[in-house]
């Protein structure tokens, strides 16, 4: 019997309006979430039980398709819930989130541990007539069967209960970790009290810092928020070494301050539970379990790849640091380069070596122009057109919505939501979300995707200028969005970005290349005052400096990947500080650099299982991406229509309906070669 509920609860209503319906954020209240989620969970579990207890012989339609169609209400609610969780977090919402996260995790356990349901799937999977299914149906059936086995469908009852208990505990801990980290980022900031504290900062960054102090109601002149998008520019441009050290300190100590938001105890519990779960499921450690459904398959393969790129990257860093130290010495600085100096002196060396000032480039990188540039690239490569909509409800005034269509035929493709600015209650970083996956199982559901960033808004009258790195991130996340928008499959579980975790970063990293193309720079990199494009000389200098600081970026990321993988290879209880120290010493981490994500703030691996034992995915996908981009260079260049068409047809549109390795080989004609990555980063290629 269902819980009594007000069926007029807005979250229980189907999305209405054009485009197959959209979420109506004008009607939702935080108090609606708990009753709606509980009702929708109950409904989904009843639907699962009905499929499992069907007295008819299992068929693809009455079992697999029925599962694909189950829980529609819950899917809609979960999409809105996720938006609140990432973009509109508040103490009121956190109470709901803490209570609901374990209940949402419980659904998966009840699905995967349903014996009758698994027997139906297993019977279908092993039946001779399953060979008569089309390729996409066979792939979906394989996915269901292997997922059930991987999640413990073949365990005994006692072990199933233990795995379910662990999963619910993990869900609660993921939520706790995320809430603590967000609180650290919201509550901590660097106050700039005097004009001299702003020395060296670009004008637009100063204005943003002044605006932030006003927003926080501080008496200070300006403030620097404790997020990457604020801290990194400060470390790059501030002439105040003492303040750079303070900014660096609050950023790298997020979650590690021995206060109520310290994450160390939480993450150790997560690691212990993961190791215990992996053992019950028949694996030596969590890393082996995690990689069992990834392209890499074995942890050692990822470690070998990291090691092969690590050594040349460290050598590059040594050379770069030597040039920086020489500059410090010439200036009469009596100190050795420290992590809070690295970005500052790297920028000085870049300027001296290539006559290239990031601040100079930034004057040409207007956020709105770059958004238009992404639209133009998507049009040139994949025939996509974008039209802004003004009548679609949004969850915050900063959010805007575009209709996406085929610009040649006018056919609707989907909707793209853009939420570009930082604010209190929004998690840091940049990401893509799918609010509705494309599918054709029940009518033709248009995908709804979003890109969310944390750019600093500044004064309302000024254009938002962003760094080259931030512009690269913008293109990266838009690559994920295109992967979701271009999907053209039948079944939602195979749609868009639902591919192996170490493959999903490939399309996004690939799109980054188009930012630096002359076509984009000449058309969209326009000076915010003069509207003039980048000069030919500046474009040449950008090209020459393309691989500058590549050693730093590689070391920063791969060190995090090493630590992540080794954390999940061990089954012992770790001391996070000691473990981090030992692993970094083992790999000879340069003292001038810290991990991109220190353990206490490593949200990729502790806010969910998503990238746990999977942060290597960025490097793995970069091998694929570098190799794939060479397909364009071997053709007529970045805008080669035939290569772009193959990329669309073979990669972007097929989601997970084809084995990821085979998909890539179908596109490229061979397996990805790591030599391409070494060439792209200007590292030596071993013969």
């Amino acid at each position: 019997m269902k819980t009594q509920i007000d069926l007029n609860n807005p979250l229980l209503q189907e999305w209405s309006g054009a485009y197959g319906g959209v979420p109506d954020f004008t009607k939702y209240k935080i108090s609606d979430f708990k009753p709606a989620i509980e009702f929708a969970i109950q409904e989904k579990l009843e639907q699962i039980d009905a499929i499992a207890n069907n007295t008819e012989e299992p068929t693809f339609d009455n079992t697999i398709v029925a599962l694909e169609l189950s829980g529609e209400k819950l899917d809609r609610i979960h999409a809105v819930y996720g938006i609140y969780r990432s973009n509109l977090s508040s103490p009121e919402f956190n109470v709901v989130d803490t209570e609901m996260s374990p209940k949402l995790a419980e659904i998966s356990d009840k699905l995967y541990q349903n014996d009758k349901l698994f027997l139906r799937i297993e019977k279908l999977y092993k039946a001779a007539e399953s060979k008569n299914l089309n390729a996409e149906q066979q792939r979906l059936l394989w996915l269901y069967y292997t997922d059930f086995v991987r999640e413990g469908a073949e365990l005994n009852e006692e072990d199933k209960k233990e795995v379910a208990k662990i999963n619910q505990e993990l869900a609660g801990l993921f939520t706790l970790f995320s809430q603590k980290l967000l609180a650290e980022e919201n509550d901590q900031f660097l106050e700039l009290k005097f004009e001299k504290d702003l020395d060296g900062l670009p004008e637009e960054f100063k204005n943003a810092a002044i605006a932030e102090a006003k927003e926080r109601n501080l008496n200070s002149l300006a403030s620097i928020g404790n997020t990457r998008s604020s801290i990194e520019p400060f470390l790059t441009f501030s002439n105040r070494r003492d303040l750079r050290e303070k900014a660096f300190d609050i950023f790298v100590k997020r979650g590690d301050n021995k206060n109520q938001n310290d994450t160390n105890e939480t993450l150790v519990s997560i690691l212990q539970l993961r190791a215990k779960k992996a053992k019950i499921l028949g694996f030596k450690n969590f890393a082996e379990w995690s990689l069992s459904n990834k392209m890499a398959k074995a942890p050692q393969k990822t470690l070998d790849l990291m090691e092969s790129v690590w050594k040349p990257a460290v050598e590059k860093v040594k050379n770069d640091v030597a040039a920086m130290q020489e500059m410090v010495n010439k200036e009469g600085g009596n100190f050795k380069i420290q992590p809070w100096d690295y970005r500052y002196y790297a920028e000085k060396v870049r300027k001296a070596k290539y006559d290239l000032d990031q601040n100079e480039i930034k004057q040409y990188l207007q956020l709105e122009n770059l958004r238009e540039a992404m639209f133009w690239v998507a049009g040139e490569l994949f025939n996509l057109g974008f039209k802004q909509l003004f009548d679609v409800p949004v969850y915050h005034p900063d959010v805007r919505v575009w209709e996406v269509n085929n610009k040649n035929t006018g056919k609707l493709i989907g909707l793209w939501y853009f939420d570009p600015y930082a604010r209190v209650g929004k998690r840091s970083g940049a990401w893509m979300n799918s609010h509705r996956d494309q599918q054709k199982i029940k009518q033709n559901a248009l995908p709804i995707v979003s890109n969310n960033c944390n750019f600093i808004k500044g004064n309302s009258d000024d254009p938002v200028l962003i760094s080259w790195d931030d512009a690269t991130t913008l293109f990266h996340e838009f690559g994920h969005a295109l992967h979701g928008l271009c999907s053209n499959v039948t079944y939602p579980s195979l749609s868009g970005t639902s591919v192996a975790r170490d493959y999903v970063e490939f399309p996004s990293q690939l799109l980054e290349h188009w930012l630096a193309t002359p076509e984009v720079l000449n058309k969209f990199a326009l000076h915010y005052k003069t509207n003039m494009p980048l000069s030919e000389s500046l474009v040449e200098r950008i090209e020459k400096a393309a691989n500058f600081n590549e050693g730093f970026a590689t070391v920063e990321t791969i060190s995090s990947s090493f630590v992540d993988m080794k954390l999940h290879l061990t089954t012992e209880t770790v001391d996070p500080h000691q473990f981090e120290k030992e692993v970094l010493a083992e790999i000879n981490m340069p003292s001038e650099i810290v991990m991109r994500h220190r353990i206490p703030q490593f949200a990729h691996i502790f806010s969910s299982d998503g990238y746990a034992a999977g942060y290597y995915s960025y490097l793995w996908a970069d091998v694929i991406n570098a190799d794939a981009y060479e397909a364009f260079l071997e053709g007529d260049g970045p805008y080669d229509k035939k290569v772009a068409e193959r990329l669309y047809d073979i990669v972007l549109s097929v989601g997970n309906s084809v084995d990821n390795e085979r998909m890539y080989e179908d596109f490229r004609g061979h397996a990805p070669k790591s030599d391409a990555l070494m060439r792209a980063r200007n590292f030596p290629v071993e013969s």
Side-chain angles (χ1 to χ4, degrees), residues 18-196:
Y19 308 103
V22 296
D24 189 350
F25 293 102
T26 65
K27 294 180 179 174
Y28 306 141
K29 302 190 299 290
I30 292 174
S31 58
D32 292 331
F33 277 112
K34 181 183 173 182
I37 289 170
E38 289 178 339
F39 181 88
I41 285 174
Q42 204 168 352
E43 182 179 79
K44 174 157 185 171
L45 292 176
E46 287 174 4
Q47 290 167 344
I48 289 169
D49 281 342
I51 298 165
N53 292 307
N54 190 339
T55 55
E56 295 176 10
E57 278 295 298
T59 65
F60 186 81
D61 284 339
N62 72 19
T63 304
I64 303 301
V65 172
L67 283 168
E68 288 289 281
L69 291 170
S70 67
E72 284 183 292
K73 270 195 189 72
L74 188 61
D75 289 344
R76 289 197 303 271
I77 295 167
H78 203 271
V80 177
Y81 181 76
I83 290 167
Y84 271 73
R85 194 180 203 199
S86 297
N87 302 281
L88 302 169
S89 184
S90 66
E92 184 190 0
F93 179 79
N94 287 347
V95 172
V96 177
D97 195 20
T98 299
E99 185 179 355
M100 290 295 106
S101 292
K103 292 187 178 183
L104 287 163
E106 191 179 10
I107 302 167
S108 291
D109 296 321
K110 290 189 173 176
L111 173 72
Y112 291 124
Q113 297 185 5
N114 188 312
D115 291 339
K116 291 180 180 177
L117 185 57
F118 178 60
L119 285 173
R120 291 180 72 84
I121 293 168
E122 185 178 43
K123 191 171 183 179
L124 270 175
Y125 181 71
K126 293 180 177 178
E129 54 265 30
S130 292
K131 293 185 174 65
N132 297 326
L133 299 172
N134 67 35
E136 187 179 341
Q137 290 169 333
Q138 287 186 38
R139 176 74 174 171
L140 184 62
L141 178 55
W142 170 85
L143 188 69
Y144 266 99
Y145 176 74
T146 54
D147 278 354
F148 267 74
V149 171
R150 185 173 179 271
E151 295 291 343
E154 296 178 320
L155 295 176
N156 62 45
E157 285 307 309
E158 187 181 341
D159 284 344
K160 281 181 182 175
K161 284 179 185 174
E162 187 61 27
V163 167
K165 181 169 171 283
I166 289 171
N167 285 339
Q168 286 180 60
E169 287 181 46
L170 282 171
L173 290 168
F174 295 154
T175 299
L176 182 61
F177 181 92
S178 300
Q179 289 174 357
K180 285 183 172 186
L181 187 57
L182 183 59
E184 289 277 272
E185 292 171 347
N186 284 340
D187 297 347
Q188 296 173 4
F189 47 88
L190 176 68
E191 289 190 70
L192 306 178
K193 297 180 179 178
F194 309 105
E195 194 65 40
K196 63 181 181 180

Side-chain angles (χ1 to χ4, degrees), residues 516-639:
T517 58
E519 292 86 345
V520 164
L521 295 180
N522 292 330
K523 203 178 190 63
F524 299 100
L526 306 177
H527 195 280
Y528 80 107
K529 285 182 179 174
T530 66
N531 219 34
M532 295 296 290
L534 285 160
S535 66
E536 196 173 319
S537 155
L538 189 49
V539 171
E540 283 176 10
R541 282 180 277 151
I542 289 171
E543 286 174 355
K544 282 180 184 172
N547 287 307
F548 178 77
N549 225 21
E550 195 64 71
F552 171 83
T554 305
V555 163
E556 189 189 43
T557 303
I558 297 183
S559 58
S560 295
S561 304
F562 268 122
V563 169
D564 164 43
M565 187 57 69
K566 293 190 180 237
L567 273 172
H568 290 103
L569 280 167
T570 186
T571 55
E572 296 175 8
T573 301
V574 302
D575 173 330
H577 296 99
Q578 190 63 25
F579 191 89
E580 183 175 297
K581 187 179 175 183
E582 287 173 1
V583 172
L584 296 181
E586 186 185 319
I587 62 175
N588 295 316
M589 178 75 167
S591 64
E592 300 85 2
I593 302 178
V594 294
M595 298 161 62
R596 186 167 179 81
H597 307 284
R598 286 195 56 242
I599 292 175
Q601 66 244 193
F602 209 159
H604 277 76
I605 67 173
F606 293 122
S607 62
S608 74
D609 275 341
Y611 280 89
Y615 197 69
Y616 76 89
S617 300
Y618 288 96
L619 179 64
W620 188 271
D622 228 352
V623 169
I624 304 173
N625 136 55
D627 186 71
Y629 191 61
E630 289 192 347
F632 284 91
L633 300 182
E634 289 161 9
D636 291 334
Y639 296 92

